[in-house]
């Protein structure tokens, strides 16, 4: 389970001794450095590294890093809020030791996600991992709920030898085709081996629809661990690729047209060890709580996309009829509704039933995305919300009248619209707290300015290699 305790100056109980032992074991295995990883508000992974010998000191006192990265844009420009974006100040990065792994595809390195605290040892209100830990802890305290989550990862594999900035698919076989697996046989096998060595249980890896696109899905774990995994698996996919002359992109839109890379979230709510998404008396076996939770997510979707699909490139992906789920609709096992109910296989529903949220991509900070989806669901739960009529087939085919009758609306087609919906959403803003909520709006508005005057091809190019 996740360590839900906040970091403490001097170290969480037991952490320093554990870090000392770990650093000895890692050194003996040839590890020299530890990557301390977090994700910024724009969705870009940022890091510091320390020598393995400094692990115990990092566990005790953290490692310094500026808070300015909270308002970095994906192009490394800096925006400001009333409290963030200044060159002043410093934070301490505390590694989560229970997530520390030696990186198989990067010999000499280990990796750990971090929580960020102030120099005074207080929670940093801009820390997205701390935010998600808090949401999970509050749900447990207020509702007796626990969650299981997984983030699907889609990515495009290109040739490293491609002309600068360009994407040339490294596999040319058909979508979901046997040829692609043969073309990248060694790469995929090494990826599976690396995941296994790093304690990530993989459900599936398969060729996807778009040129050179693949997908990996991993087992569901508690939300903080799921977000950590999403970061670790992407680091691994990239590092293994490099050893094979390949370059990968997790951008929502590697190309301006066509199917993009999603980062669908699977989530289930549990109480006393029982999955609430099955065995109930509501549609498809949902319990009343699962229906209310799902209805809460549905109601907040337009605003949620400011967090779950945060990049100008996200809007290139969020187009109808591409399985990205761009309508405020839900359905059973349907791939065009934003919310897909996954009932699971007969005989295994108690463990498998879950809610899939599709308008999520890998430009999203996974901690913010999971925390906000859970906050939206809890809002529905507290209100005892109910779901409207379900949708089957592609909502894009519904006539205007029928769509209006069912409350099926297109999700924001521009980042401006998403930001406006987010600004108006007191529940999400309240869950994030003012510092993070303002960081989200400032960074999104900065991204909008950054692509001013660019056409779709220019936007795809600008974000192709940053995620
Ligand atoms: N690539 C699609 C997306 O952008 C998802 C395809 C699938 O259903 O796996 O979300
Ligand atoms: Mg897929």
């Amino acid at each position: 389970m996740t360590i839900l305790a906040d970091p403490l100056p001097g170290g969480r109980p037991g952490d320093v001794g554990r870090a000392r032992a770990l650093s000895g074991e890692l050194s003996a295995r040839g590890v020299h450095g530890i990557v301390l990883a977090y994700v910024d508000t724009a969705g870009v992974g940022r890091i510091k590294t320390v020598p393995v010998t400094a692990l115990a000191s990092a566990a005790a006192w953290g490692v310094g890093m500026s808070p300015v990265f909270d308002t970095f844009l994906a192009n490394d420009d800096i925006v400001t809020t009333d409290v963030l974006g200044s060159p002043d100040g410093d934070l301490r990065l505390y590694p989560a030791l229970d997530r520390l792994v030696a990186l198989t595809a990067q010999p000499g390195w280990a990796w750990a996600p971090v929580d960020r605290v102030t120099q005074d040892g207080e929670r940093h209100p801009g820390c997205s991992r701390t935010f998600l830990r808090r949401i999970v802890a509050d749900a447990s305290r207020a509702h007796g709920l626990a969650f299981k989550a997984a983030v699907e990862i889609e990515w495009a594999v290109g040739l490293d030898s491609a002309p600068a900035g360009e994407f040339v698919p490294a596999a040319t076989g058909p979508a979901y085709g046997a040829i692609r697996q043969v073309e990248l046989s060694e790469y995929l096998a090494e990826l599976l081996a690396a995941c296994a060595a790093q304690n990530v249980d993989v459900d599936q890896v398969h060729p996807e629809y778009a040129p050179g696109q693949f997908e990996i899905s991993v087992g569901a774990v508690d939300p903080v661990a799921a977000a950590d995994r999403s970061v670790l698996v992407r680091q691994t996919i990239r590092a293994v690729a490099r050893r094979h002359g390949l370059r990968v992109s997790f951008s929502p839109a590697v190309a301006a047209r066509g199917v993009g890379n999603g980062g669908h979230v699977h989530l289930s709510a549990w109480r006393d060890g029982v999955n609430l998404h099955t065995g109930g008396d509501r549609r498809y076996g949902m319990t009343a709580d699962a229906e209310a939770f799902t209805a809460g997510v549905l109601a907040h979707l337009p605003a949620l996309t400011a967090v779950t699909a945060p990049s100008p490139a996200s809007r290139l992906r969020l187009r109808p009829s591409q399985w990205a789920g761009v309508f405020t609709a839900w359905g059973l096992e349907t791939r065009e509704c934003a919310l897909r109910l996954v009932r699971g296989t007969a005989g295994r529903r108690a463990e498998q039933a879950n809610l899939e949220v599709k308008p999520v991509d890998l430009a999203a900070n996974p901690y913010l995305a999971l925390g906000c989806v859970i906050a939206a669901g809890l809002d529905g739960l507290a209100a005892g919300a109910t779901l409207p009529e379900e949708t089957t087939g592609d909502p894009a085919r519904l006539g205007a009248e029928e769509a209006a009758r069912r409350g099926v609306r297109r999700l924001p087609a521009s980042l401006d619209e998403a930001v406006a919906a987010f600004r108006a959403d007191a529940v999400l803003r309240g869950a994030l707290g003012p510092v993070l909520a303002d960081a989200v709006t400032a960074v999104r508005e900065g991204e909008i300015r950054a692509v001013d005057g660019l056409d779709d091809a220019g936007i795809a190019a600008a974000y192709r290699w940053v995620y």
Side-chain angles (χ1 to χ4, degrees):
M1 282 305 285
T2 306
I3 291 182
L4 287 173
D6 288 312
L8 290 174
R12 298 178 182 95
D15 259 15
V16 177
R18 198 169 159 207
R20 212 169 274 132
L22 272 170
S23 85
E25 285 163 31
L26 290 167
S27 297
R29 288 173 60 189
V31 170
H32 304 294
I34 317 276
V35 179
L36 303 176
Y38 71 96
V39 184
D40 72 13
T41 317
V44 174
R46 311 269 177 195
I47 61 149
K48 277 271 177 102
T49 76
V50 292
V52 69
T53 46
L55 185 60
S57 157
W61 307 111
V63 171
M65 194 165 190
S66 166
V68 75
F69 302 100
D70 289 330
T71 46
F72 257 47
L73 302 184
N75 69 1
D76 298 340
D77 279 353
I78 304 167
V79 296
T80 55
T81 69
D82 55 355
V83 292
L84 293 171
S86 140
D88 303 341
D90 211 14
L91 296 170
R92 308 303 297 174
L93 311 181
Y94 276 82
L97 295 182
D98 55 342
R99 298 274 179 273
L100 190 141
V101 288
L103 293 171
T104 309
Q106 292 181 258
W109 291 97
W111 175 97
V114 297
D115 289 296
R116 297 179 298 150
V117 301
T118 68
Q119 293 276 41
D120 293 327
E122 306 289 331
R123 287 177 173 177
H124 170 48
C127 176
S128 58
R129 192 172 191 272
T130 304
F131 158 69
L132 180 56
R133 287 193 298 111
R134 174 169 57 73
I135 292 289
V136 169
D138 289 352
S140 165
R141 207 169 22 244
H143 301 281
L145 291 181
F147 297 93
K148 285 191 185 173
V151 180
E152 288 180 6
I153 294 178
E154 292 184 333
W155 79 103
V157 189
L159 296 175
D160 214 6
S161 56
E166 283 180 31
F167 172 70
V168 177
T172 54
Y176 309 98
I179 295 173
R180 281 198 203 175
Q181 185 270 336
V182 177
E183 288 179 291
L184 294 186
S185 182
E186 293 82 4
Y187 168 57
L188 295 170
E190 203 175 308
L191 174 58
L192 286 174
C195 287
Q198 294 170 184
N199 303 322
V200 175
D201 57 312
V202 172
D203 283 344
Q204 298 184 19
V205 57
H206 66 266
E208 255 289 345
Y209 192 90
Q213 191 183 34
F214 287 79
E215 172 174 335
I216 193 165
S217 44
V218 300
V221 284
D222 76 83
V224 180
D228 291 340
R229 269 187 167 189
S230 154
V231 180
L232 171 65
V233 171
R234 279 179 271 168
Q235 171 105 6
T236 305
I237 288 171
R238 177 165 279 130
V240 178
R242 209 173 152 269
R243 298 162 71 86
H244 292 266
L246 304 169
R247 189 176 192 195
V248 299
S249 173
F250 301 99
S251 173
V254 176
R257 298 268 153 225
V259 167
N261 288 324
H264 306 173
V265 160
H266 288 265
L267 188 65
S268 51
W270 298 63
R271 186 177 283 122
D272 301 327
V274 176
N275 184 349
L276 301 181
H277 298 258
T278 191
D281 58 4
R282 300 293 172 91
R283 281 164 285 182
Y284 305 116
M286 278 184 285
T287 63
D289 277 347
E291 174 171 359
F293 187 88
T294 305
V297 178
L298 185 65
H300 289 281
L301 272 177
L304 272 172
T305 66
V307 176
T308 62
S311 166
S314 302
R315 304 295 139 177
L316 303 178
R317 165 183 171 253
L318 286 182
R319 290 188 175 125
S321 311
Q322 306 204 128
W323 294 2
V326 302
F327 292 94
T328 58
W330 72 278
L332 179 70
E333 300 288 8
T334 174
R335 287 175 177 74
E336 287 295 354
C337 292
L339 299 186
R340 169 186 172 214
L341 250 55
V342 181
R343 239 191 333 175
T345 308
R348 296 191 64 196
R349 292 195 170 134
E351 55 196 283
Q352 287 180 342
N354 70 83
L355 171 67
E356 180 179 22
V357 186
K358 293 177 80 76
V360 186
D361 63 44
L362 302 169
N365 173 318
Y367 303 96
L368 295 183
L370 280 166
C372 285
V373 168
I374 292 172
L378 292 178
D379 184 49
L381 191 91
T386 53
L387 282 168
E389 201 175 318
E390 75 188 281
T391 296
T392 52
D394 188 348
R397 301 226 170 92
L398 293 174
E401 225 169 86
E402 181 61 10
R405 193 183 64 75
R406 291 161 179 259
V408 172
R409 280 174 295 130
R410 173 84 197 266
L411 287 171
S414 70
L415 201 46
D416 302 70
E417 268 180 76
V419 171
F422 176 79
R423 277 190 182 285
D425 195 311
V427 170
L428 296 189
R429 290 185 60 88
L432 287 162
V435 172
L436 261 175
D438 286 354
V440 166
T441 7
V443 169
R444 301 303 172 260
E445 285 168 348
E447 298 292 359
I448 292 166
R449 286 192 299 276
V451 296
D452 191 29
L454 290 184
D455 62 8
D456 288 354
I459 292 173
Y463 293 92
R464 185 172 292 139
W465 302 116
V466 294
Y467 303 117

